[in-house]
Amino acid sequence: MNTMRGVTLRAEWAPRDGFTLGAKDVEERQTYLGSRVWRNPRLSMEDYPIPEPGEGQVLVQVRACGICGSDVHMAQPDPEGYIYYPGLTGFPTILGHELSGVVVNAGPNALSKETGLPFQGGELVCTEEMFWCGACRPCADGYPNHCERLNEIGFNVNGAFAEYILLPAKLLWSLDPLRKAYADERDIFLAGSLVEPTSVAYNAVIQRGGGVKPGDHVVICGGGPVGLAAVAILKRQGAARVILSEPQDSRAEIGRKLGADAVINPQKENFTARVLELTGGMGAKLYLEATGLPDLIYPTIENTIWEGRVIDSTVVVVARADATMPVTGEVLQVRGARIVGAQGHSGSGTFPHVIASMASGMDMLPLITKQITLDEVPEHIVRLRTDRTECKITCVMAH
């Protein structure tokens, strides 16, 4: 059998008024401003030839792949029919980027970072989602998440909601350390599929946000997978109080399992008053905006910084949204606060740090609240537009 099935997203190239092609856009193929161009998205299951690895490439049999909010937003039309996702997109493409799997075979010079030797069949791996080139100025300066020739698995190149995926060897990381934490190989693959979203959180709060000193307080706004992963990371780093702001009870409970000391329901409680109450009037050293609603959430964070006593707070914006935040410069100046953006997960040893943390006891499996088959992926991508009862829905492949 030389074919495989893949969950494919197609959409119409229909630029909004005023859109002009950027230097990295390709007419009718890809853009870095997805919500300004792509219209009427539709999902289908399509057949593809199983790819053959070339120079520096590895063929991976997919074993688990999680549905990300970006998958949902790429396939979700707004009232005018345009997709919600604002970033790099190129259709048609197979969706899916939060994956783990088994190496099938490798092309010439496809070397493992762990061993320095060619990849062999049977190795358990996960992968970075961002195809950084390594040769442009941002890559050379140590910023692979901002590569000028960026491609992304499941966004503009074929992703992992398929039975196989072809990947550059340089993006792969061994899951062998997870054997210390999980006796069941299925759990290794499930945990391996969570390395990518957990690495997004790690990049946001540790690399971009600067982390915390033991004893600092932190506030996580949004109990999606990235926000919840940040809860686990910051509690492990030594935060005194990790406060999660999340209205959904089921997600709040997962947050508690992962280390949240307190949960605020912002729909029923005054956010600022509760944060100050929980921190003795101080406020937090680090705030993470992981809701995707920065225009609504940031003003409440800013008010808390103003009313609190902590100086030099950092607000990290990680959720992707085509929205403008209202920022009061006076608050940032008087409180010595800053806003930083966080994109991606590559570089700075993020993936191996996350894998090592998982191997030594940071169990992220509570994030997965439902397991499905490949055939069930399209309906669940659509369902997640409105259904927030599940946290991470993960496709598990039967092989």
Side-chain angles (χ1 to χ4, degrees):
M1 183 176 177
N2 296 317
T3 62
M4 65 178 190
R5 298 176 305 143
V7 177
T8 305
L9 179 62
R10 295 180 177 272
E12 300 168 10
W13 181 275
R16 294 180 189 265
D17 291 343
F19 172 83
T20 56
L21 285 172
K24 296 174 284 188
D25 293 339
V26 180
E27 181 80 40
E28 298 189 1
R29 175 62 185 101
Q30 77 171 33
T31 178
Y32 278 68
L33 297 168
S35 58
R36 303 297 178 91
V37 171
W38 295 109
R39 199 174 190 185
N40 300 327
R42 55 198 182 277
L43 292 166
S44 61
M45 190 72 75
E46 300 185 17
D47 291 330
Y48 294 81
I50 297 175
E52 290 289 333
E55 182 83 13
Q57 294 180 322
V58 178
L59 180 66
V60 174
Q61 183 186 63
V62 179
R63 299 300 295 271
C65 184
I67 297 177
C68 176
S70 58
D71 298 316
V72 177
H73 293 149
M74 280 189 284
Q76 181 177 3
D78 70 8
E80 297 178 29
Y82 287 91
I83 68 171
Y84 274 95
Y85 187 73
L88 173 60
T89 39
F91 305 132
T93 196
I94 299 173
L95 297 181
H97 58 272
E98 300 177 357
L99 73 122
S100 62
V102 180
V103 171
V104 178
N105 56 54
N109 297 315
L111 304 178
S112 165
K113 290 184 287 293
E114 279 77 15
T115 66
L117 301 173
F119 272 103
Q120 303 295 317
E123 295 172 79
L124 279 56
V125 295
C126 65
T127 182
E128 298 173 40
E129 168 267 345
M130 310 184 88
F131 280 33
W132 41 269
C133 74
C136 69
R137 180 60 186 265
C139 283
D141 284 349
Y143 299 102
N145 293 309
H146 305 276
C147 173
E148 292 179 344
R149 303 184 184 97
L150 183 67
N151 291 300
E152 296 187 80
I153 298 170
F155 292 81
N156 72 325
V157 296
N158 281 337
F161 285 131
E163 290 149 322
Y164 297 89
I165 185 171
L166 190 63
L167 296 165
K170 68 181 184 180
L171 302 185
L172 297 181
W173 294 95
S174 173
L175 294 177
D176 199 59
L178 296 187
R179 295 185 188 277
K180 302 173 187 175
Y182 302 103
D184 188 333
E185 194 170 81
R186 182 186 180 93
D187 286 341
I188 295 175
F189 289 124
L190 291 173
S193 73
L194 295 170
V195 173
E196 193 274 345
T198 304
S199 293
V200 171
Y202 188 101
N203 177 66
V205 298
I206 303 299
Q207 297 304 134
R208 297 294 297 145
V212 297
K213 296 177 181 177
D216 282 338
H217 302 308
V218 301
V219 177
I220 308 300
C221 297
V226 170
L228 292 171
V231 167
I233 292 164
L234 289 168
K235 193 60 187 178
R236 192 175 182 86
Q237 199 187 14
R241 272 198 174 273
V242 177
I243 301 167
L244 172 65
S245 178
E246 168 56 48
Q248 182 73 39
D249 289 342
S250 59
R251 294 186 177 206
E253 183 57 34
I254 295 171
R256 291 187 181 95
K257 290 180 181 178
L258 293 177
D261 299 287
V263 177
I264 298 172
N265 183 336
Q267 295 177 353
K268 297 180 179 179
E269 302 173 275
N270 182 291
F271 176 89
T272 295
R274 281 290 286 145
V275 170
L276 295 182
E277 177 187 347
L278 291 164
T279 60
M282 295 301 294
K285 187 69 172 179
L286 187 149
Y287 297 83
L288 180 68
E289 200 309 281
T291 69
L293 301 169
D295 50 331
L296 301 178
I297 302 302
Y298 176 75
T300 65
I301 295 174
E302 188 178 78
N303 185 59
T304 308
I305 292 172
W306 182 251
E307 296 290 338
R309 297 175 59 200
V310 169
I311 304 300
D312 196 31
S313 293
T314 299
V315 181
V316 183
V317 180
V318 68
R320 301 296 295 270
D322 189 4
T324 301
M325 297 191 313
V327 176
T328 307
E330 181 75 358
V331 174
L332 301 182
Q333 290 169 305
V334 172
R335 286 290 182 257
R338 66 176 65 81
I339 305 169
V340 300
Q343 171 176 284
H345 51 233
S346 295
S348 304
T350 297
F351 263 65
H353 278 101
V354 166
I355 293 169
S357 295
M358 289 181 171
S360 63
M362 191 175 77
D363 182 19
M364 305 307 296
L365 291 183
L367 290 178
I368 298 175
T369 53
K370 188 173 186 180
Q371 299 178 34
I372 61 174
T373 66
L374 183 62
D375 288 321
E376 294 174 306
V377 169
E379 66 186 85
H380 282 82
I381 288 177
V382 173
R383 183 181 301 176
L384 283 170
R385 295 176 185 176
T386 55
D387 183 358
R388 284 181 52 83
T389 58
E390 304 292 348
C391 182
K392 176 62 67 180
I393 299 178
T394 302
C395 170
V396 180
M397 306 291 186
H399 289 290

